[in-house]
Amino acid sequence: MGTVTIGVSIAVPEPHGSLLQERRAGFGDAAAHGIPTHVTLLPPTEVDAADLPAVDAHLTGVAEAGRPFPMRLCGTGTFRPLSPVVYVRVVQGAESCAWLQQRVRDSSGPMARDLLFPYHPHVTVAHGIDEAAMDRAFAELAGFEAEWPCTGFALYEQGADAVWRKLREYVFGGPVVPPQALRGVGRSPVS
């Protein structure tokens, strides 16, 4: 059966997802149209295709244990000079994203893996392009803001054409919590 490259992420909803994808393309990032706008929970990971049912079962369990939480993006950041990335910051929901990604990569599950860098939830808007374009992305999106109730995540597969396609969505096991209901709450709503 061979191997497949998968990833798990939280999609940035419309109209924000398309807007950031178009901006990313406009900065000269050739990968922009092949990567839906997202917050990564599991970076590209190669697995045996025969393990996809176990991946699905594991992610179903993670989703059942999760609860909806408010997500808010605001402003920009960068990983330069360590990594050529400019991103939009996750300013609310980061703790919940960290909780989820730990469970997705749990050492007892089918997607156990170490990360090259400490986990830092973000939305990439420029990657591996020239420095002037990176600076432009950082400046032009500094005022960007978006918020929504995060109600789940999705499993994606990268095709031979380098395009990421959604295989399945996973909805959290609890009721939807409107963002305004949790403003100022100091604990993670998924824990």
Side-chain angles (χ1 to χ4, degrees), residues 119-185:
Y119 182 72
H120 181 84
H122 65 281
V123 177
T124 299
V125 292
H127 180 217
I129 57 178
D130 70 68
E131 289 297 317
M134 299 277 268
D135 292 342
R136 210 171 97 236
F138 187 88
E140 290 181 15
L141 291 171
F144 180 84
E145 290 189 46
E147 64 180 283
W148 69 95
C150 179
T151 58
F153 56 87
L155 172 65
Y156 291 82
E157 180 181 346
Q158 185 179 36
D161 58 0
V163 173
W164 287 90
R165 293 175 180 85
K166 188 185 310 178
L167 296 179
R168 178 167 174 211
E169 288 188 49
Y170 298 85
V171 178
F172 295 136
V176 175
V177 178
Q180 64 274 17
L182 290 175
R183 274 206 184 111
V185 174

Side-chain angles (χ1 to χ4, degrees), residues 41-46 101-102 104-119:
L41 298 176
L42 177 76
T45 301
E46 193 171 286
Q101 68 86 29
Q102 286 177 335
V104 167
R105 294 185 308 103
D106 187 85
S107 61
S108 66
M111 295 171 289
R113 66 167 287 182
D114 292 326
L115 299 178
L116 296 175
F117 301 102
Y119 182 72

Side-chain angles (χ1 to χ4, degrees), residues 6-7 27 29 66 89 104 108-109 131 140 149 159-160 184 188:
I6 61 169
F27 297 131
D29 191 329
R89 298 181 311 124
V104 167
S108 66
E131 289 297 317
E140 290 181 15
S188 171

